[in-house]
PDB file of all heavy atoms in Angstrom:
ATOM      1  N   PRO P   1      -0.133   4.338 -17.000  1.00  0.00           N
ATOM      2  CA  PRO P   1      -0.078   5.620 -16.146  1.00  0.00           C
ATOM      3  C   PRO P   1       0.437   6.760 -17.062  1.00  0.00           C
ATOM      4  O   PRO P   1       1.441   6.547 -17.818  1.00  0.00           O
ATOM      5  CB  PRO P   1       0.908   5.293 -15.050  1.00  0.00           C
ATOM      6  CG  PRO P   1       1.137   3.799 -15.050  1.00  0.00           C
ATOM      7  CD  PRO P   1       0.714   3.353 -16.412  1.00  0.00           C
ATOM      8  N   LYS P   2      -0.216   7.920 -16.996  1.00  0.00           N
ATOM      9  CA  LYS P   2       0.111   9.016 -17.910  1.00  0.00           C
ATOM     10  C   LYS P   2       1.530   9.419 -17.822  1.00  0.00           C
ATOM     11  O   LYS P   2       2.211   9.790 -18.866  1.00  0.00           O
ATOM     12  CB  LYS P   2      -0.908  10.149 -17.635  1.00  0.00           C
ATOM     13  CG  LYS P   2      -1.109  11.077 -18.848  1.00  0.00           C
ATOM     14  CD  LYS P   2      -2.373  11.892 -18.591  1.00  0.00           C
ATOM     15  CE  LYS P   2      -2.845  12.504 -19.919  1.00  0.00           C
ATOM     16  NZ  LYS P   2      -4.069  13.296 -19.782  1.00  0.00           N
ATOM     17  N   LYS P   3       2.010   9.469 -16.575  1.00  0.00           N
ATOM     18  CA  LYS P   3       3.394   9.907 -16.371  1.00  0.00           C
ATOM     19  C   LYS P   3       4.365   8.753 -15.942  1.00  0.00           C
ATOM     20  O   LYS P   3       5.385   9.043 -15.382  1.00  0.00           O
ATOM     21  CB  LYS P   3       3.447  11.065 -15.368  1.00  0.00           C
ATOM     22  CG  LYS P   3       2.776  12.335 -15.898  1.00  0.00           C
ATOM     23  CD  LYS P   3       2.878  13.480 -14.963  1.00  0.00           C
ATOM     24  CE  LYS P   3       2.149  14.639 -15.511  1.00  0.00           C
ATOM     25  NZ  LYS P   3       2.295  15.836 -14.614  1.00  0.00           N
ATOM     26  N   GLY P   4       3.901   7.547 -16.163  1.00  0.00           N
ATOM     27  CA  GLY P   4       4.785   6.404 -15.855  1.00  0.00           C
ATOM     28  C   GLY P   4       4.440   5.757 -14.538  1.00  0.00           C
ATOM     29  O   GLY P   4       3.856   6.388 -13.633  1.00  0.00           O
ATOM     30  N   PHE P   5       4.965   4.568 -14.339  1.00  0.00           N
ATOM     31  CA  PHE P   5       4.687   3.846 -13.073  1.00  0.00           C
ATOM     32  C   PHE P   5       5.448   4.356 -11.914  1.00  0.00           C
ATOM     33  O   PHE P   5       5.030   4.292 -10.757  1.00  0.00           O
ATOM     34  CB  PHE P   5       5.073   2.346 -13.266  1.00  0.00           C
ATOM     35  CG  PHE P   5       4.077   1.560 -14.103  1.00  0.00           C
ATOM     36  CD1 PHE P   5       4.412   1.252 -15.424  1.00  0.00           C
ATOM     37  CD2 PHE P   5       2.869   1.185 -13.589  1.00  0.00           C
ATOM     38  CE1 PHE P   5       3.465   0.555 -16.222  1.00  0.00           C
ATOM     39  CE2 PHE P   5       1.950   0.463 -14.326  1.00  0.00           C
ATOM     40  CZ  PHE P   5       2.178   0.102 -15.624  1.00  0.00           C
ATOM     41  N   THR P   6       6.586   5.043 -12.170  1.00  0.00           N
ATOM     42  CA  THR P   6       7.373   5.683 -11.067  1.00  0.00           C
ATOM     43  C   THR P   6       6.578   6.687 -10.344  1.00  0.00           C
ATOM     44  O   THR P   6       6.502   6.676  -9.088  1.00  0.00           O
ATOM     45  CB  THR P   6       8.666   6.255 -11.582  1.00  0.00           C
ATOM     46  OG1 THR P   6       9.457   5.261 -12.216  1.00  0.00           O
ATOM     47  CG2 THR P   6       9.492   6.876 -10.514  1.00  0.00           C
ATOM     48  N   GLU P   7       5.881   7.539 -11.108  1.00  0.00           N
ATOM     49  CA  GLU P   7       5.073   8.599 -10.404  1.00  0.00           C
ATOM     50  C   GLU P   7       3.855   7.932  -9.754  1.00  0.00           C
ATOM     51  O   GLU P   7       3.514   8.416  -8.599  1.00  0.00           O
ATOM     52  CB  GLU P   7       4.565   9.571 -11.404  1.00  0.00           C
ATOM     53  CG  GLU P   7       3.800  10.750 -10.731  1.00  0.00           C
ATOM     54  CD  GLU P   7       3.342  11.853 -11.667  1.00  0.00           C
ATOM     55  OE1 GLU P   7       4.073  12.732 -11.944  1.00  0.00           O
ATOM     56  OE2 GLU P   7       2.225  11.637 -12.199  1.00  0.00           O
ATOM     57  N   LEU P   8       3.275   6.966 -10.335  1.00  0.00           N
ATOM     58  CA  LEU P   8       2.127   6.229  -9.599  1.00  0.00           C
ATOM     59  C   LEU P   8       2.521   5.752  -8.295  1.00  0.00           C
ATOM     60  O   LEU P   8       1.897   5.963  -7.322  1.00  0.00           O
ATOM     61  CB  LEU P   8       1.624   5.114 -10.528  1.00  0.00           C
ATOM     62  CG  LEU P   8       0.372   4.399 -10.062  1.00  0.00           C
ATOM     63  CD1 LEU P   8      -0.194   3.562 -11.347  1.00  0.00           C
ATOM     64  CD2 LEU P   8       0.652   3.286  -9.048  1.00  0.00           C
ATOM     65  N   ILE P   9       3.655   5.102  -8.210  1.00  0.00           N
ATOM     66  CA  ILE P   9       4.072   4.510  -6.941  1.00  0.00           C
ATOM     67  C   ILE P   9       4.555   5.541  -5.999  1.00  0.00           C
ATOM     68  O   ILE P   9       4.302   5.544  -4.738  1.00  0.00           O
ATOM     69  CB  ILE P   9       5.240   3.424  -7.218  1.00  0.00           C
ATOM     70  CG1 ILE P   9       4.598   2.276  -7.987  1.00  0.00           C
ATOM     71  CG2 ILE P   9       5.876   3.000  -5.900  1.00  0.00           C
ATOM     72  CD1 ILE P   9       5.591   1.345  -8.497  1.00  0.00           C
ATOM     73  N   ALA P  10       5.252   6.569  -6.497  1.00  0.00           N
ATOM     74  CA  ALA P  10       5.660   7.732  -5.677  1.00  0.00           C
ATOM     75  C   ALA P  10       4.469   8.345  -4.997  1.00  0.00           C
ATOM     76  O   ALA P  10       4.380   8.719  -3.840  1.00  0.00           O
ATOM     77  CB  ALA P  10       6.458   8.730  -6.479  1.00  0.00           C
ATOM     78  N   ASN P  11       3.417   8.514  -5.777  1.00  0.00           N
ATOM     79  CA  ASN P  11       2.096   9.085  -5.207  1.00  0.00           C
ATOM     80  C   ASN P  11       1.528   8.244  -4.157  1.00  0.00           C
ATOM     81  O   ASN P  11       0.953   8.710  -3.117  1.00  0.00           O
ATOM     82  CB  ASN P  11       1.075   9.345  -6.274  1.00  0.00           C
ATOM     83  CG  ASN P  11       1.499  10.538  -7.241  1.00  0.00           C
ATOM     84  OD1 ASN P  11       2.326  11.304  -6.837  1.00  0.00           O
ATOM     85  ND2 ASN P  11       0.998  10.522  -8.411  1.00  0.00           N
ATOM     86  N   MET P  12       1.627   6.907  -4.277  1.00  0.00           N
ATOM     87  CA  MET P  12       1.080   5.969  -3.287  1.00  0.00           C
ATOM     88  C   MET P  12       1.943   6.138  -1.991  1.00  0.00           C
ATOM     89  O   MET P  12       1.337   6.015  -0.894  1.00  0.00           O
ATOM     90  CB  MET P  12       1.178   4.514  -3.797  1.00  0.00           C
ATOM     91  CG  MET P  12       0.267   4.213  -4.957  1.00  0.00           C
ATOM     92  SD  MET P  12       0.478   2.496  -5.550  1.00  0.00           S
ATOM     93  CE  MET P  12      -0.412   1.683  -4.247  1.00  0.00           C
ATOM     94  N   LEU P  13       3.219   6.314  -2.084  1.00  0.00           N
ATOM     95  CA  LEU P  13       4.082   6.382  -0.941  1.00  0.00           C
ATOM     96  C   LEU P  13       4.129   7.699  -0.283  1.00  0.00           C
ATOM     97  O   LEU P  13       4.686   7.869   0.776  1.00  0.00           O
ATOM     98  CB  LEU P  13       5.544   6.012  -1.391  1.00  0.00           C
ATOM     99  CG  LEU P  13       5.729   4.569  -1.861  1.00  0.00           C
ATOM    100  CD1 LEU P  13       7.133   4.358  -2.387  1.00  0.00           C
ATOM    101  CD2 LEU P  13       5.481   3.571  -0.724  1.00  0.00           C
ATOM    102  N   CYS P  14       3.521   8.744  -0.949  1.00  0.00           N
ATOM    103  CA  CYS P  14       3.496  10.101  -0.363  1.00  0.00           C
ATOM    104  C   CYS P  14       2.434  10.206   0.690  1.00  0.00           C
ATOM    105  O   CYS P  14       1.370  10.753   0.466  1.00  0.00           O
ATOM    106  CB  CYS P  14       3.274  11.064  -1.506  1.00  0.00           C
ATOM    107  SG  CYS P  14       3.458  12.800  -0.946  1.00  0.00           S
ATOM    108  N   HIS P  15       2.704   9.732   1.868  1.00  0.00           N
ATOM    109  CA  HIS P  15       1.770   9.673   2.992  1.00  0.00           C
ATOM    110  C   HIS P  15       2.527   9.838   4.230  1.00  0.00           C
ATOM    111  O   HIS P  15       3.600   9.274   4.488  1.00  0.00           O
ATOM    112  CB  HIS P  15       0.894   8.334   2.989  1.00  0.00           C
ATOM    113  CG  HIS P  15      -0.171   8.362   3.855  1.00  0.00           C
ATOM    114  ND1 HIS P  15      -0.123   8.220   5.357  1.00  0.00           N
ATOM    115  CD2 HIS P  15      -1.533   8.441   3.600  1.00  0.00           C
ATOM    116  CE1 HIS P  15      -1.288   8.319   5.850  1.00  0.00           C
ATOM    117  NE2 HIS P  15      -2.147   8.389   4.849  1.00  0.00           N
ATOM    118  N   PRO P  16       2.060  10.698   5.193  1.00  0.00           N
ATOM    119  CA  PRO P  16       2.754  10.984   6.413  1.00  0.00           C
ATOM    120  C   PRO P  16       3.095   9.801   7.283  1.00  0.00           C
ATOM    121  O   PRO P  16       3.989   9.784   8.098  1.00  0.00           O
ATOM    122  CB  PRO P  16       1.856  11.966   7.149  1.00  0.00           C
ATOM    123  CG  PRO P  16       0.542  11.818   6.531  1.00  0.00           C
ATOM    124  CD  PRO P  16       0.782  11.469   5.132  1.00  0.00           C
ATOM    125  N   LYS P  17       2.271   8.714   7.161  1.00  0.00           N
ATOM    126  CA  LYS P  17       2.477   7.497   7.943  1.00  0.00           C
ATOM    127  C   LYS P  17       3.446   6.428   7.271  1.00  0.00           C
ATOM    128  O   LYS P  17       3.666   5.360   7.801  1.00  0.00           O
ATOM    129  CB  LYS P  17       1.092   6.853   8.274  1.00  0.00           C
ATOM    130  CG  LYS P  17       0.197   7.641   9.177  1.00  0.00           C
ATOM    131  CD  LYS P  17      -0.968   6.867   9.572  1.00  0.00           C
ATOM    132  CE  LYS P  17      -1.842   7.681  10.615  1.00  0.00           C
ATOM    133  NZ  LYS P  17      -2.960   6.867  11.030  1.00  0.00           N
ATOM    134  N   ILE P  18       3.957   6.870   6.091  1.00  0.00           N
ATOM    135  CA  ILE P  18       4.874   5.967   5.428  1.00  0.00           C
ATOM    136  C   ILE P  18       6.297   6.518   5.476  1.00  0.00           C
ATOM    137  O   ILE P  18       6.463   7.656   5.173  1.00  0.00           O
ATOM    138  CB  ILE P  18       4.479   5.699   3.936  1.00  0.00           C
ATOM    139  CG1 ILE P  18       3.123   4.995   3.882  1.00  0.00           C
ATOM    140  CG2 ILE P  18       5.487   4.941   3.200  1.00  0.00           C
ATOM    141  CD1 ILE P  18       2.601   4.903   2.510  1.00  0.00           C
ATOM    142  N   ARG P  19       7.219   5.672   5.995  1.00  0.00           N
ATOM    143  CA  ARG P  19       8.636   6.054   5.904  1.00  0.00           C
ATOM    144  C   ARG P  19       9.329   5.032   5.122  1.00  0.00           C
ATOM    145  O   ARG P  19       9.120   3.825   5.263  1.00  0.00           O
ATOM    146  CB  ARG P  19       9.178   6.105   7.368  1.00  0.00           C
ATOM    147  CG  ARG P  19       8.627   7.185   8.259  1.00  0.00           C
ATOM    148  CD  ARG P  19       9.064   7.059   9.674  1.00  0.00           C
ATOM    149  NE  ARG P  19      10.611   7.111   9.768  1.00  0.00           N
ATOM    150  CZ  ARG P  19      11.267   6.553  10.714  1.00  0.00           C
ATOM    151  NH1 ARG P  19      10.620   5.936  11.731  1.00  0.00           N
ATOM    152  NH2 ARG P  19      12.572   6.622  10.734  1.00  0.00           N
ATOM    153  N   LEU P  20      10.289   5.475   4.308  1.00  0.00           N
ATOM    154  CA  LEU P  20      10.964   4.645   3.420  1.00  0.00           C
ATOM    155  C   LEU P  20      12.506   4.516   3.963  1.00  0.00           C
ATOM    156  O   LEU P  20      13.040   5.501   4.324  1.00  0.00           O
ATOM    157  CB  LEU P  20      11.070   5.171   2.017  1.00  0.00           C
ATOM    158  CG  LEU P  20       9.759   5.129   1.277  1.00  0.00           C
ATOM    159  CD1 LEU P  20       9.926   5.724  -0.093  1.00  0.00           C
ATOM    160  CD2 LEU P  20       9.129   3.757   1.135  1.00  0.00           C
ATOM    161  N   LYS P  21      13.069   3.305   3.816  1.00  0.00           N
ATOM    162  CA  LYS P  21      14.434   3.177   4.040  1.00  0.00           C
ATOM    163  C   LYS P  21      14.971   2.303   2.865  1.00  0.00           C
ATOM    164  O   LYS P  21      14.823   1.089   2.890  1.00  0.00           O
ATOM    165  CB  LYS P  21      14.704   2.386   5.382  1.00  0.00           C
ATOM    166  CG  LYS P  21      16.176   2.500   5.830  1.00  0.00           C
ATOM    167  CD  LYS P  21      16.280   1.971   7.221  1.00  0.00           C
ATOM    168  CE  LYS P  21      17.699   2.125   7.823  1.00  0.00           C
ATOM    169  NZ  LYS P  21      18.076   3.561   7.917  1.00  0.00           N
ATOM    170  N   LEU P  22      15.457   3.024   1.886  1.00  0.00           N
ATOM    171  CA  LEU P  22      15.831   2.466   0.574  1.00  0.00           C
ATOM    172  C   LEU P  22      17.283   1.814   0.611  1.00  0.00           C
ATOM    173  O   LEU P  22      18.099   2.120   1.501  1.00  0.00           O
ATOM    174  CB  LEU P  22      15.755   3.398  -0.496  1.00  0.00           C
ATOM    175  CG  LEU P  22      14.368   3.970  -0.741  1.00  0.00           C
ATOM    176  CD1 LEU P  22      14.368   5.057  -1.870  1.00  0.00           C
ATOM    177  CD2 LEU P  22      13.323   2.935  -1.065  1.00  0.00           C
ATOM    178  N   GLY P  23      17.528   0.900  -0.266  1.00  0.00           N
ATOM    179  CA  GLY P  23      18.859   0.356  -0.368  1.00  0.00           C
ATOM    180  C   GLY P  23      19.323  -0.432   0.854  1.00  0.00           C
ATOM    181  O   GLY P  23      20.410  -0.431   1.201  1.00  0.00           O
ATOM    182  N   THR P  24      18.357  -0.978   1.518  1.00  0.00           N
ATOM    183  CA  THR P  24      18.641  -1.657   2.807  1.00  0.00           C
ATOM    184  C   THR P  24      17.981  -3.025   2.846  1.00  0.00           C
ATOM    185  O   THR P  24      16.810  -3.218   2.567  1.00  0.00           O
ATOM    186  CB  THR P  24      17.985  -0.835   4.048  1.00  0.00           C
ATOM    187  OG1 THR P  24      18.528   0.461   3.959  1.00  0.00           O
ATOM    188  CG2 THR P  24      18.314  -1.493   5.358  1.00  0.00           C
ATOM    189  N   ASP P  25      18.787  -4.021   3.207  1.00  0.00           N
ATOM    190  CA  ASP P  25      18.316  -5.385   3.355  1.00  0.00           C
ATOM    191  C   ASP P  25      17.399  -5.475   4.630  1.00  0.00           C
ATOM    192  O   ASP P  25      17.865  -5.196   5.709  1.00  0.00           O
ATOM    193  CB  ASP P  25      19.483  -6.439   3.495  1.00  0.00           C
ATOM    194  CG  ASP P  25      19.075  -7.815   3.510  1.00  0.00           C
ATOM    195  OD1 ASP P  25      17.874  -8.060   3.729  1.00  0.00           O
ATOM    196  OD2 ASP P  25      19.976  -8.720   3.288  1.00  0.00           O
ATOM    197  N   ALA P  26      16.146  -5.864   4.409  1.00  0.00           N
ATOM    198  CA  ALA P  26      15.176  -5.928   5.597  1.00  0.00           C
ATOM    199  C   ALA P  26      15.707  -6.837   6.677  1.00  0.00           C
ATOM    200  O   ALA P  26      15.447  -6.640   7.804  1.00  0.00           O
ATOM    201  CB  ALA P  26      13.844  -6.334   5.097  1.00  0.00           C
ATOM    202  N   THR P  27      16.435  -7.901   6.311  1.00  0.00           N
ATOM    203  CA  THR P  27      16.799  -8.890   7.335  1.00  0.00           C
ATOM    204  C   THR P  27      17.950  -8.355   8.241  1.00  0.00           C
ATOM    205  O   THR P  27      18.295  -8.991   9.249  1.00  0.00           O
ATOM    206  CB  THR P  27      17.348 -10.156   6.654  1.00  0.00           C
ATOM    207  OG1 THR P  27      18.455  -9.896   5.752  1.00  0.00           O
ATOM    208  CG2 THR P  27      16.139 -10.869   5.865  1.00  0.00           C
ATOM    209  N   ARG P  28      18.481  -7.114   7.915  1.00  0.00           N
ATOM    210  CA  ARG P  28      19.395  -6.498   8.918  1.00  0.00           C
ATOM    211  C   ARG P  28      18.596  -6.031  10.060  1.00  0.00           C
ATOM    212  O   ARG P  28      19.170  -5.863  11.216  1.00  0.00           O
ATOM    213  CB  ARG P  28      20.104  -5.245   8.204  1.00  0.00           C
ATOM    214  CG  ARG P  28      21.186  -5.656   7.308  1.00  0.00           C
ATOM    215  CD  ARG P  28      21.810  -4.405   6.646  1.00  0.00           C
ATOM    216  NE  ARG P  28      22.107  -3.353   7.616  1.00  0.00           N
ATOM    217  CZ  ARG P  28      22.503  -2.126   7.246  1.00  0.00           C
ATOM    218  NH1 ARG P  28      22.440  -1.754   6.003  1.00  0.00           N
ATOM    219  NH2 ARG P  28      22.771  -1.222   8.229  1.00  0.00           N
ATOM    220  N   TYR P  29      17.273  -5.768   9.922  1.00  0.00           N
ATOM    221  CA  TYR P  29      16.506  -5.222  11.052  1.00  0.00           C
ATOM    222  C   TYR P  29      15.450  -6.271  11.493  1.00  0.00           C
ATOM    223  O   TYR P  29      15.006  -6.271  12.657  1.00  0.00           O
ATOM    224  CB  TYR P  29      15.766  -3.990  10.551  1.00  0.00           C
ATOM    225  CG  TYR P  29      16.720  -2.866  10.225  1.00  0.00           C
ATOM    226  CD1 TYR P  29      17.197  -2.710   8.916  1.00  0.00           C
ATOM    227  CD2 TYR P  29      17.120  -1.949  11.150  1.00  0.00           C
ATOM    228  CE1 TYR P  29      18.077  -1.655   8.584  1.00  0.00           C
ATOM    229  CE2 TYR P  29      17.975  -0.932  10.882  1.00  0.00           C
ATOM    230  CZ  TYR P  29      18.405  -0.779   9.543  1.00  0.00           C
ATOM    231  OH  TYR P  29      19.341   0.212   9.238  1.00  0.00           O
ATOM    232  N   LEU P  30      14.995  -7.160  10.610  1.00  0.00           N
ATOM    233  CA  LEU P  30      13.888  -8.036  10.892  1.00  0.00           C
ATOM    234  C   LEU P  30      14.433  -9.442  11.155  1.00  0.00           C
ATOM    235  O   LEU P  30      15.202  -9.966  10.419  1.00  0.00           O
ATOM    236  CB  LEU P  30      12.953  -8.021   9.664  1.00  0.00           C
ATOM    237  CG  LEU P  30      11.716  -8.908   9.717  1.00  0.00           C
ATOM    238  CD1 LEU P  30      10.760  -8.340  10.761  1.00  0.00           C
ATOM    239  CD2 LEU P  30      11.023  -8.943   8.374  1.00  0.00           C
ATOM    240  N   ALA P  31      13.964 -10.053  12.255  1.00  0.00           N
ATOM    241  CA  ALA P  31      14.394 -11.409  12.557  1.00  0.00           C
ATOM    242  C   ALA P  31      13.159 -12.252  13.044  1.00  0.00           C
ATOM    243  O   ALA P  31      12.287 -11.662  13.709  1.00  0.00           O
ATOM    244  CB  ALA P  31      15.488 -11.416  13.546  1.00  0.00           C
ATOM    245  N   LEU P  32      13.094 -13.490  12.735  1.00  0.00           N
ATOM    246  CA  LEU P  32      11.992 -14.355  13.125  1.00  0.00           C
ATOM    247  C   LEU P  32      12.608 -15.508  13.942  1.00  0.00           C
ATOM    248  O   LEU P  32      13.442 -16.192  13.481  1.00  0.00           O
ATOM    249  CB  LEU P  32      11.311 -14.923  11.878  1.00  0.00           C
ATOM    250  CG  LEU P  32      10.852 -13.910  10.752  1.00  0.00           C
ATOM    251  CD1 LEU P  32      10.242 -14.603   9.580  1.00  0.00           C
ATOM    252  CD2 LEU P  32       9.789 -12.946  11.428  1.00  0.00           C
ATOM    253  N   TYR P  33      12.064 -15.688  15.166  1.00  0.00           N
ATOM    254  CA  TYR P  33      12.656 -16.815  15.985  1.00  0.00           C
ATOM    255  C   TYR P  33      11.607 -17.262  16.926  1.00  0.00           C
ATOM    256  O   TYR P  33      10.951 -16.511  17.626  1.00  0.00           O
ATOM    257  CB  TYR P  33      13.851 -16.156  16.803  1.00  0.00           C
ATOM    258  CG  TYR P  33      14.511 -17.148  17.608  1.00  0.00           C
ATOM    259  CD1 TYR P  33      15.386 -18.171  17.053  1.00  0.00           C
ATOM    260  CD2 TYR P  33      14.441 -17.071  19.019  1.00  0.00           C
ATOM    261  CE1 TYR P  33      16.015 -19.045  17.794  1.00  0.00           C
ATOM    262  CE2 TYR P  33      15.142 -18.064  19.783  1.00  0.00           C
ATOM    263  CZ  TYR P  33      15.947 -19.038  19.164  1.00  0.00           C
ATOM    264  OH  TYR P  33      16.587 -19.926  19.974  1.00  0.00           O
ATOM    265  N   ASN P  34      11.406 -18.645  16.906  1.00  0.00           N
ATOM    266  CA  ASN P  34      10.430 -19.224  17.831  1.00  0.00           C
ATOM    267  C   ASN P  34       9.123 -18.626  17.866  1.00  0.00           C
ATOM    268  O   ASN P  34       8.493 -18.333  18.928  1.00  0.00           O
ATOM    269  CB  ASN P  34      11.023 -19.363  19.259  1.00  0.00           C
ATOM    270  CG  ASN P  34      12.074 -20.442  19.376  1.00  0.00           C
ATOM    271  OD1 ASN P  34      12.226 -21.262  18.517  1.00  0.00           O
ATOM    272  ND2 ASN P  34      12.840 -20.323  20.474  1.00  0.00           N
ATOM    273  N   GLY P  35       8.571 -18.316  16.735  1.00  0.00           N
ATOM    274  CA  GLY P  35       7.143 -17.780  16.677  1.00  0.00           C
ATOM    275  C   GLY P  35       7.052 -16.324  16.938  1.00  0.00           C
ATOM    276  O   GLY P  35       5.945 -15.781  17.003  1.00  0.00           O
ATOM    277  N   LYS P  36       8.176 -15.612  17.209  1.00  0.00           N
ATOM    278  CA  LYS P  36       8.208 -14.247  17.531  1.00  0.00           C
ATOM    279  C   LYS P  36       8.931 -13.410  16.478  1.00  0.00           C
ATOM    280  O   LYS P  36       9.915 -13.896  15.895  1.00  0.00           O
ATOM    281  CB  LYS P  36       8.826 -13.971  18.866  1.00  0.00           C
ATOM    282  CG  LYS P  36       7.938 -14.633  20.093  1.00  0.00           C
ATOM    283  CD  LYS P  36       8.615 -14.270  21.400  1.00  0.00           C
ATOM    284  CE  LYS P  36       7.846 -14.913  22.557  1.00  0.00           C
ATOM    285  NZ  LYS P  36       8.421 -14.663  23.880  1.00  0.00           N
ATOM    286  N   ILE P  37       8.483 -12.233  16.251  1.00  0.00           N
ATOM    287  CA  ILE P  37       9.043 -11.285  15.311  1.00  0.00           C
ATOM    288  C   ILE P  37       9.860 -10.268  16.107  1.00  0.00           C
ATOM    289  O   ILE P  37       9.476  -9.683  17.034  1.00  0.00           O
ATOM    290  CB  ILE P  37       7.968 -10.561  14.498  1.00  0.00           C
ATOM    291  CG1 ILE P  37       7.203 -11.576  13.639  1.00  0.00           C
ATOM    292  CG2 ILE P  37       8.608  -9.606  13.530  1.00  0.00           C
ATOM    293  CD1 ILE P  37       5.986 -10.998  12.868  1.00  0.00           C
ATOM    294  N   TYR P  38      11.151 -10.064  15.599  1.00  0.00           N
ATOM    295  CA  TYR P  38      12.024  -9.063  16.211  1.00  0.00           C
ATOM    296  C   TYR P  38      12.368  -8.000  15.228  1.00  0.00           C
ATOM    297  O   TYR P  38      12.695  -8.256  14.081  1.00  0.00           O
ATOM    298  CB  TYR P  38      13.305  -9.686  16.719  1.00  0.00           C
ATOM    299  CG  TYR P  38      12.993 -10.785  17.831  1.00  0.00           C
ATOM    300  CD1 TYR P  38      12.667 -12.048  17.568  1.00  0.00           C
ATOM    301  CD2 TYR P  38      13.070 -10.315  19.205  1.00  0.00           C
ATOM    302  CE1 TYR P  38      12.389 -13.007  18.593  1.00  0.00           C
ATOM    303  CE2 TYR P  38      12.777 -11.235  20.195  1.00  0.00           C
ATOM    304  CZ  TYR P  38      12.458 -12.542  19.906  1.00  0.00           C
ATOM    305  OH  TYR P  38      12.123 -13.412  20.900  1.00  0.00           O
ATOM    306  N   TRP P  39      12.336  -6.709  15.725  1.00  0.00           N
ATOM    307  CA  TRP P  39      12.754  -5.602  14.878  1.00  0.00           C
ATOM    308  C   TRP P  39      13.782  -4.862  15.568  1.00  0.00           C
ATOM    309  O   TRP P  39      13.685  -4.443  16.723  1.00  0.00           O
ATOM    310  CB  TRP P  39      11.433  -4.650  14.661  1.00  0.00           C
ATOM    311  CG  TRP P  39      11.828  -3.507  13.803  1.00  0.00           C
ATOM    312  CD1 TRP P  39      11.995  -2.193  14.223  1.00  0.00           C
ATOM    313  CD2 TRP P  39      12.050  -3.524  12.357  1.00  0.00           C
ATOM    314  NE1 TRP P  39      12.309  -1.346  13.139  1.00  0.00           N
ATOM    315  CE2 TRP P  39      12.391  -2.136  11.944  1.00  0.00           C
ATOM    316  CE3 TRP P  39      11.973  -4.484  11.393  1.00  0.00           C
ATOM    317  CZ2 TRP P  39      12.621  -1.776  10.646  1.00  0.00           C
ATOM    318  CZ3 TRP P  39      12.248  -4.125   9.990  1.00  0.00           C
ATOM    319  CH2 TRP P  39      12.500  -2.768   9.711  1.00  0.00           C
ATOM    320  N   GLN P  40      14.974  -4.807  14.917  1.00  0.00           N
ATOM    321  CA  GLN P  40      16.112  -4.161  15.548  1.00  0.00           C
ATOM    322  C   GLN P  40      16.450  -4.827  16.896  1.00  0.00           C
ATOM    323  O   GLN P  40      16.804  -4.089  17.907  1.00  0.00           O
ATOM    324  CB  GLN P  40      15.990  -2.659  15.649  1.00  0.00           C
ATOM    325  CG  GLN P  40      15.995  -1.972  14.298  1.00  0.00           C
ATOM    326  CD  GLN P  40      15.910  -0.439  14.345  1.00  0.00           C
ATOM    327  OE1 GLN P  40      15.023   0.067  14.988  1.00  0.00           O
ATOM    328  NE2 GLN P  40      16.890   0.207  13.786  1.00  0.00           N
ATOM    329  N   GLY P  41      16.274  -6.055  17.019  1.00  0.00           N
ATOM    330  CA  GLY P  41      16.692  -6.812  18.211  1.00  0.00           C
ATOM    331  C   GLY P  41      15.581  -6.831  19.245  1.00  0.00           C
ATOM    332  O   GLY P  41      15.804  -7.538  20.343  1.00  0.00           O
TER     333      GLY P  41
END
């Protein structure tokens, strides 16, 4: 990539339907139990 991989990925993420929550363990919000997926409980 001409300006590096960071810019490539930043351009991929630059979309109104994408929201980022960085520095966060996904399992704080995501749980799997008995075939069902739970998000924030």
